[in-house]
Amino acid sequence: MPSTVVVNTTPYEGQKPGTSGLRKKVKVFLQENYTENFIQSILDANKDSIVGSTLVVGGDGRYLLKEVVQKIIKISAANGVAKLLVGQHGILSTPAVSCIIRKYKTLGGIVLTASHNPGGINNDFGIKFNCSNGGPAPDNTTNEIYKLTTEIKQYKIVPDIDCPIDKLGVYDFTVDDRTFTVVIIDSVNDYVTYMKEIFEFPKIKALIQGSDQRKPFNVLIDSMHGVTGPYVKRIFLEELGATESNVSRINPLEDFGGAHPDPNLTYAADLVNAVKKGDFDFGAAFDGDGDRNMIIGRDAFFVTPSDSLAVLANNLHHIPYFQRTGIHGYARSMPTAAAVDRVAKKNGKEIFEVPTGWKYFGNLMDAGRLSLCGEESFGTGSDHVREKDGVWAVLAWLSVVAATGRSVQEILEQHWQEFGRNYFTRYDYEECASAPCNEMMTYLEKKITETGFVGSVHTSGGKTYVVKLADNFSYMDPIDQSVAMKQGLRIIFEDGSRIVMRLSGTGSSGATVRLYIDSYEASNVTGDAQVMLKPLIDVALDISKLQAYTGRDAPTVIT
Ligand code: VG1
Ligand code: CO
């Protein structure tokens, strides 16, 4: 009979979950006991409820996934977990994990992903814990996990469990006289069933296939070799009548084909070029773990995530799920442009501004105060699950197109006519040296919080900006009153324009500086964002001395 073995171990430094779980290079996870320590700490953080519990386990298909799934099976068995629901081949998208946790009311789940970070032996891996509401663990839980990793002395494991994860089935093991069950589940079934409840598939199918009156709405859906491949295959090819020419890169690969599985104009350039060249009405791409989305229209007309959120907010009534549940409030992360705020005002709904990271939306959703939310980082989602959801966002967009009969560009232009336009751009300076970036943030915080900064006047490109407010953003959760401090430096000007700067919490080495710029125009809505925002970008670079601190004269990615 397989039985538990207790293994002595010592703590590793730096097992602190960031914006979304622990992300490190694969080689860091490969160190002796590194992964085991972290998994044991997750289970210990749940020690009051772990015995007899059920957990969901799955990830985005990247290198090391299957080995880590096996470790989780063995360590869970030793810690008294009663049952694991594991995606076949270890595959589950992040929103699918959230869906399954909620559907089967499990204690939580372990998501194995480094999301949009590249994969393969020389790149990244990640581990994240989601709670019983299906959402990423809040700060108090991740802080507890981290504390446990700094104190760990032992972990428990059942080395002799051998569970095939490639074959669907229910596998019972007797461990220390207890029954321990692993269910290998179909990776897409539960998720697809749910999407069919949320959306009207026949309408979307009619749109994609066309009719006597209307030619097919030609879509190109790019999974970037990430986890969404099997979901796209089932939903678009098998359910919605799309053909092979409507999808690309739908086979998950351990290294994402060497690409950076991040759906933006830089890393999803293949999609952008294909849509520019081809006869497509719509293009979409997802990230490695399927929670991000990018939407483009004909000729690669780009929809910023901030605008995407606002357009969906204004059109939710076309989607059956919201017809049933009603529409509660909206929310966005602080750096996200405020386009959705204008929709909230028109519709008389609450709007929340939370720190960066999906975990901050969960409490509001659980309290029934939030229906739709998004982040400028290509995350859009609703209270149907507790993660952002790329495939959901595309189905939502196609529902809006089907209901309105308008093109993507027409939908946007009409939106701007009604609400005005929030121009937005983000500059990323990836993998800079950490120390000077930290110094820059300290310098900038001091500068913008000194007396006299509020009210100061900045001119650039013929424009003049007067500082109205400047701070390091902090947030108090309205539901449990927990406080998150130092969530990003922001300078807000009299005319509502903003400069926001923060350091990324998802990188695996060095520092990534994110500079967010946005400004609002009531009637000048057809300009080019980079041109419109240039004066403000120059002000930001000047105030922060970013180029001097980072040694970079240009960003690595502009979105
Ligand atoms: C980034 C984004 C943030 C997002 C997070 C996780 O975090 O800015 O909006 O929630 O990634 O997304 P950071 O700390 O690097 O700026 V995912 O798809 O990587 O789980
Ligand atoms: Co992701």
Side-chain angles (χ1 to χ4, degrees), residues 18-20 23 94 113-117 128 262 287 289-292 333 335-336 356-359 375-379 387-388 426 502-507 512 514 516:
T19 312
S20 185
R23 295 187 190 175
T94 293
T113 173
S115 189
H116 57 286
N117 299 9
K128 180 168 82 162
D262 197 356
D287 71 337
D289 64 327
D291 54 359
R292 298 184 179 203
S333 66
T336 304
T356 296
W358 211 260
K359 56 189 163 190
E375 297 191 278
E376 52 61 46
S377 54
F378 298 84
E387 289 277 7
K388 52 191 188 268
R426 183 176 103 188
R502 53 183 286 282
L503 298 182
S504 159
T506 56
T512 291
R514 303 205 196 282
Y516 315 77

Side-chain angles (χ1 to χ4, degrees), residues 203-332:
K203 271 200 183 155
I204 303 175
K205 185 171 185 176
L207 176 79
I208 289 177
Q209 291 196 316
S211 64
D212 294 346
Q213 289 82 39
R214 190 158 68 175
K215 72 183 192 58
F217 189 74
N218 200 13
V219 304
L220 183 56
I221 311 287
D222 184 358
S223 290
M224 299 185 85
H225 293 306
V227 75
T228 55
Y231 298 82
V232 166
K233 182 165 183 273
R234 179 81 68 83
I235 292 174
F236 287 90
L237 296 183
E238 292 167 25
E239 297 280 349
L240 296 174
T243 64
E244 291 290 339
S245 65
N246 296 121
V247 298
S248 83
R249 298 193 275 189
I250 61 168
N251 53 327
L253 295 177
E254 286 195 335
D255 66 349
F256 308 110
H260 207 127
D262 197 356
N264 58 43
L265 294 174
T266 304
Y267 293 130
D270 288 359
L271 171 79
V272 172
N273 292 333
V275 171
K276 264 188 197 154
K277 266 192 249 135
D279 184 28
F280 292 104
D281 300 297
F282 183 94
F286 309 109
D287 71 337
D289 64 327
D291 54 359
R292 298 184 179 203
N293 74 93
M294 176 173 76
I295 306 286
I296 56 180
R298 186 162 262 284
D299 302 321
F301 177 90
F302 175 59
V303 182
T304 72
S306 305
D307 278 344
S308 175
L309 173 62
V311 165
L312 290 181
N314 201 32
N315 285 283
L316 282 185
H317 54 276
H318 295 306
I319 298 171
Y321 174 88
F322 298 101
Q323 293 162 0
R324 290 194 299 270
T325 64
I327 298 160
H328 315 299
Y330 310 115
R332 60 175 170 82

Side-chain angles (χ1 to χ4, degrees), residues 441-463:
M441 295 300 283
T442 309
Y443 162 81
L444 185 60
E445 178 165 8
K446 186 160 173 285
K447 180 163 179 173
I448 68 173
T449 52
E450 263 166 11
T451 40
F453 189 75
V454 170
S456 63
V457 179
H458 304 262
T459 49
S460 166
K463 288 211 160 197

